[in-house]
Amino acid sequence: MGDHKEQPLRVGAAVRRRRRALELTLAVVAERSGLSVPFLSQVENDRARPSRSSLEKVADALRTTAVELLAAADPACSVDVVRAEGIEWGPEPRVRSLVRGHHQMHASEFTGDHDAGREFQYRNDQLMYVADGAVEIEAEGRAYRLGRGDTLYLTGGVRHRWRATVPDTRVIVVAVAEHIEAVRDRPGR
């Protein structure tokens, strides 16, 4: 009772809106993402559901994140319960959105290893909380080691990357949802 209806998320409209807002063709997104035009067309028309990896590639090509595309795909509601049971986790690392819909705040739970080569920059402030395990975070030219129960606060605009240093690490990331961007992947990391 009171739970948001459980329906598979359809990201097609969100992908199409973002692509059109950037005035990109499917061919350009295909070239940037390494995915085919027919597949992208099927995604946009909700005839294909992309894997987490494919969604990340599409998001990178659209200069956004998979989290933002998923958030834009689901209508917001004023009260929502996100249940832990019944979650279909993908292959490592596992990511779970803790807030559904498009809201001013976004929270995600990362379990397992994380792509340490991927650099992030949030225009607004962000909080990272280590629920279990340990992580190393690089920000402002310094490395920070955090363990269970530790938090790190980053003001908007700080580029950073992080990685789990212990198996089965769980990190909760809370940030203002608008303008979350994956900056780039660093080769060789």
Side-chain angles (χ1 to χ4, degrees):
M1 187 166 102
D3 288 2
H4 186 66
K5 291 181 182 174
E6 293 294 328
Q7 298 176 356
L9 286 178
R10 298 177 186 271
V11 297
V15 169
R16 184 174 34 260
R17 277 192 305 273
R18 178 70 179 175
R19 179 180 61 79
R20 287 180 177 167
L22 294 172
E23 299 179 352
L24 299 175
T25 64
L26 280 174
V28 169
V29 176
E31 183 180 325
R32 287 182 180 179
S33 67
L35 301 170
S36 71
V37 171
F39 175 71
L40 292 170
S41 177
Q42 288 180 342
V43 167
E44 283 194 1
N45 291 299
D46 288 321
R47 283 187 256 130
R49 189 168 174 194
S51 66
R52 168 69 65 181
S53 173
S54 292
L55 187 57
E56 295 261 349
K57 290 176 183 178
V58 170
D60 286 346
L62 296 173
R63 297 187 185 112
T64 189
T65 65
V67 168
E68 270 299 294
L69 289 175
L70 288 168
D74 197 17
C77 61
S78 59
V79 177
D80 191 16
V81 176
V82 178
R83 302 258 183 226
E85 63 266 3
I87 294 173
E88 294 181 28
W89 294 101
E92 290 287 329
R94 300 178 309 230
V95 180
R96 168 172 88 102
S97 181
L98 301 176
V99 178
R100 249 191 308 245
H102 189 66
H103 299 282
Q104 291 181 355
M105 184 191 76
H106 181 77
S108 292
E109 175 183 47
F110 295 84
T111 303
D113 202 2
H114 184 68
D115 181 2
R118 185 170 202 164
E119 187 174 60
F120 293 92
Q121 179 179 28
Y122 294 68
R123 292 189 186 163
N124 295 304
D125 296 359
Q126 172 189 12
L127 175 79
M128 296 179 76
Y129 169 74
V130 181
D132 287 307
V135 298
E136 185 174 271
I137 301 165
E138 182 184 319
E140 299 277 301
R142 291 187 55 196
Y144 301 89
R145 289 187 171 84
L146 280 72
R148 185 173 187 245
D150 291 342
T151 62
L152 179 85
Y153 186 88
L154 298 162
T155 57
V158 174
R159 289 180 184 226
H160 62 281
R161 71 176 53 80
W162 64 275
R163 68 180 183 88
T165 58
V166 173
D168 298 321
T169 292
R170 275 189 325 127
V171 176
I172 310 298
V173 177
V174 180
V176 175
E178 293 185 41
H179 309 300
I180 297 173
E181 298 178 1
V183 178
R184 65 182 168 199
D185 287 337
R186 283 213 175 156
R189 297 251 336 167

